[in-house]
Amino acid sequence: MKVYLTVLFLFVYQLIYAQDFSTEQYKEANTAISISYLTKIEKDAIMYLNLARLYPVLFLRFVVENYNGPEGYSKIEKNNPYINSLKKKLGLLKSMEALSFDADLYENAKCFSEETGNSGGEGHKRKLCPKKNFAECISYGMQSGKDIAMQWLIDDGVPSLGHRGIVLDPTYHKIGLSIHSHKKWGTCAVAEIIW
């Protein structure tokens, strides 16, 4: 009985007072960690998306509540309606499966991140890269995986919240994500996500 109460106390203490995800939680979210050809930023973007999917309430507390925006940009206002709607969404969201890395999706994302980055283009219209039947998110100008994930989750200025809807959709299970330099924005990240 004493052991049970001690374990229960530690569990409740962790839930109430923890300031960050546990090592095991990071490990569970980091589904692309062993992919040698991905950059750290690409791996981190996938990990942060998965943290939001696996642990929405903790993601709200540990990441969103402390997020001021990407370095080099003006701070995000705390009363921003997109931040507020994200907080509400995460507070009500049930845990879902992490997105697993998919090499074919990565190749498609890589093709388009290079195409759009080299041309300085914006948007989803492709010239040479094939468009297949999957959801796509594009991020411009972000320098960290966390900022890429947060750009899609906040979806500031996107009334449909399409990017947020894609990355938090429990019917999606696979992701390919590639980052390339961009003539106008410095960087371009493309994620292809599918069932």
Side-chain angles (χ1 to χ4, degrees):
M1 181 68 170
K2 207 177 208 182
V3 172
Y4 173 76
L5 289 175
T6 303
V7 170
L8 181 63
F9 171 78
L10 291 172
F11 177 74
V12 171
Y13 181 86
Q14 171 73 14
L15 285 177
I16 295 172
Y17 297 106
Q19 298 298 313
D20 200 359
F21 296 100
S22 71
T23 303
E24 284 305 311
Q25 289 167 330
Y26 276 118
K27 190 175 181 180
E28 185 180 5
N30 209 347
T31 58
I33 190 70
S34 65
I35 311 302
S36 61
Y37 51 87
L38 290 184
T39 67
K40 180 175 180 351
I41 295 173
E42 291 165 337
K43 292 176 185 181
D44 283 353
I46 293 169
M47 181 188 70
Y48 276 100
L49 293 174
N50 281 334
L51 286 170
R53 290 170 62 91
L54 290 164
Y55 309 105
V57 174
L58 293 179
F59 190 86
L60 168 60
R61 182 169 13 142
F62 299 151
V63 181
V64 177
E65 291 290 355
N66 300 307
Y67 189 71
N68 293 314
E71 194 174 317
Y73 287 76
S74 51
K75 277 189 157 184
I76 294 176
E77 295 180 24
K78 292 298 178 188
N79 63 353
N80 179 307
Y82 290 93
I83 292 278
N84 291 336
S85 70
L86 176 60
K87 288 178 180 179
K88 185 175 181 180
K89 172 82 173 176
L90 291 171
L92 299 172
L93 195 65
K94 291 186 180 351
S95 178
M96 66 189 80
E97 183 181 327
L99 295 167
S100 60
F101 177 78
D102 183 272
D104 291 335
L105 292 175
Y106 167 78
E107 288 301 326
N108 195 282
K110 183 177 181 213
C111 181
F112 193 51
S113 68
E114 289 174 356
E115 179 180 299
T116 195
N118 292 339
S119 70
E122 296 175 31
H124 298 273
K125 193 165 186 160
R126 293 162 180 249
K127 292 180 181 172
L128 301 173
C129 297
K131 175 63 176 153
K132 298 186 180 177
N133 187 26
F134 38 66
E136 181 173 79
C137 294
I138 305 174
S139 168
Y140 301 99
M142 299 297 106
Q143 302 298 318
S144 75
K146 179 180 182 179
D147 290 332
I148 291 166
M150 289 300 290
Q151 188 177 51
W152 292 330
L153 287 164
I154 296 168
D155 230 1
D156 197 354
V158 181
S160 69
L161 301 175
H163 303 100
R164 182 190 302 172
I166 290 169
V167 298
L168 294 179
D169 186 332
T171 64
Y172 291 127
H173 301 287
K174 296 179 182 179
I175 187 169
L177 190 148
S178 175
I179 300 170
H180 189 70
S181 59
H182 191 279
K183 281 185 176 181
K184 179 179 178 183
W185 294 102
T187 61
C188 171
V190 175
E192 309 295 2
I193 304 173
I194 197 166
W195 304 274

